[in-house]
């Protein structure tokens, strides 16, 4: 199996920067994707192909990959950004893997 | 706008088979470069990919569930379905259907889920 490891939780004050890491052996050879999941809702794609934002995703969401670590950054976090965040990738064997998830608290 | 809607029982008994259907509207399941996937999330837990099916019937599964899962697609109804056998309490989860985009890039084959259903809670209990 293929593992993607994230910190369980990150806390940030409104307007500050939150960084969420995702460690995976397939990086940087494979892309990292990031999903936001608000309570009781389906996940929403916020980053694709390491660092690209889908249409409609605020500019405060950005991401990068360095070595075996992918990082999602929320610059100027808002209360509405409070959610669970999951990284996602596929290894060379085709295993579709979600990260362990990070709960972001904005308070 | 593409929409996906899961349907099926909310309560099933241990050892029985769970059958779920995802109805796609605003687009066709018979589209190249896209698979149709099932993903689940146990209460308070993370996301787990179950498997994916292409409109011509090609499938691939999570190795940990492969022995118990069958995916299929019905292009005439614009639906795809999942059967999960030999249920236990550990299969209690919210089950999501999703569209999976697959493509070839400089990194090799890549895929991600771009549209999701709202999810349906399935409880396994006697």
């Amino acid at each position: 199996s293929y593992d993607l490891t994230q910190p369980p939780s990150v806390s940030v004050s409104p307007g500050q920067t939150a960084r969420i890491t995702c460690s995976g052996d397939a990086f940087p050879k494979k892309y990292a994707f990031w999903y936001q999941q608000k309570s009781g809702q389906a996940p929403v794609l916020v980053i694709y192909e390491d660092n690209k934002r889908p249409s409609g995703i605020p500019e405060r969401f950005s991401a990068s990959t360095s070595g075996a670590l992918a990082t999602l950054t929320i610059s100027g976090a808002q209360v509405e950004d409070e959610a669970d965040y999951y990284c996602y990738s596929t290894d060379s064997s085709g295993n579709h893997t979600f990260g362990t998830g990070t709960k972001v608290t904005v308070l | 706008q593409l929409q996906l809607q899961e349907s099926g029982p909310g309560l099933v008994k241990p050892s029985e088979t769970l059958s779920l259907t995802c109805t796609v509207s605003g687009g066709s399941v018979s589209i190249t470069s896209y698979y149709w996937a099932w993903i689940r999330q146990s209460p308070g837990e993370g996301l787990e990919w179950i498997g994916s099916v292409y409109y011509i019937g090609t499938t691939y599964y999570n190795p940990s569930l492969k022995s118990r899962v069958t995916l299929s697609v019905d292009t005439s109804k614009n639906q795809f379905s999942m059967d999960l056998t030999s249920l236990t309490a550990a299969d209690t989860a919210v089950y999501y259907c999703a569209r999976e985009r697959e493509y070839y890039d400089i990194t090799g084959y890549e895929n991600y889920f771009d549209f999701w259903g709202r999810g349906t809670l399935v409880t396994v209990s006697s």
Side-chain angles (χ1 to χ4, degrees):
Chain A
S1 66
Y2 175 49
D3 296 325
L4 294 173
T5 303
Q6 301 178 232
S9 61
V10 168
S11 293
V12 63
S13 300
Q16 298 304 301
T17 296
R19 293 183 178 83
I20 306 156
T21 58
C22 173
S23 176
D25 290 341
F27 303 142
K29 297 183 296 298
K30 303 294 288 182
Y31 288 137
F33 300 81
W34 290 91
Y35 289 89
Q36 175 194 67
Q37 185 181 32
K38 296 184 178 179
S39 181
Q41 299 183 19
V44 172
L45 184 71
V46 294
I47 293 289
Y48 67 101
E49 292 181 1
D50 286 347
N51 54 23
K52 299 175 183 175
R53 275 180 295 104
S55 174
I57 301 302
E59 290 185 6
R60 62 180 179 272
F61 289 91
S62 64
S64 62
T65 301
S66 177
L69 198 68
T71 302
L72 174 69
T73 301
I74 309 173
S75 303
Q78 306 295 308
V79 172
E80 60 262 33
D81 299 331
E82 192 161 284
D84 294 326
Y85 291 82
Y86 294 90
C87 57
Y88 170 83
S89 188
T90 307
D91 69 5
S92 57
S93 299
N95 293 311
H96 295 41
T97 303
F98 288 94
T100 50
T102 300
K103 182 178 181 63
V104 171
T105 303
V106 183
L107 50 74
Chain B
Q1 176 80 333
L2 189 73
Q3 293 187 339
L4 294 83
Q5 178 67 58
E6 305 89 352
S7 58
L11 178 66
V12 288
K13 291 181 169 53
S15 80
E16 292 188 343
T17 295
L18 169 65
S19 295
L20 293 177
T21 295
C22 183
T23 300
V24 179
S25 57
S28 174
V29 296
S30 302
I31 185 172
T32 59
S33 300
Y34 289 91
Y35 278 70
W36 303 93
W38 290 95
I39 296 151
R40 71 180 183 178
Q41 185 171 35
S42 300
E45 300 295 325
L47 299 163
E48 180 181 34
W49 170 70
I50 298 170
S52 304
V53 59
Y54 200 51
Y55 76 97
I56 57 173
T58 306
T59 55
Y60 54 117
Y61 302 113
N62 185 325
S64 68
L65 295 168
K66 186 175 182 177
S67 64
R68 297 196 293 130
V69 176
T70 302
L71 302 190
S72 59
V73 61
D74 187 334
T75 56
S76 67
K77 295 182 179 179
N78 220 34
Q79 295 176 332
F80 60 104
S81 300
M82 177 192 76
D83 287 337
L84 181 64
T85 64
S86 304
L87 295 174
T88 70
D91 295 310
T92 294
V94 174
Y95 286 78
Y96 295 99
C97 61
R99 189 178 79 167
E100 175 186 335
R101 184 188 171 213
E102 182 169 288
Y103 61 104
Y104 191 81
D105 204 280
I106 58 173
T107 56
Y109 278 102
E110 296 282 357
N111 62 78
Y112 63 95
F113 310 102
D114 57 358
F115 285 94
W116 297 62
R118 298 181 68 175
T120 185
L121 174 62
V122 176
T123 301
V124 180
S125 175
S126 55

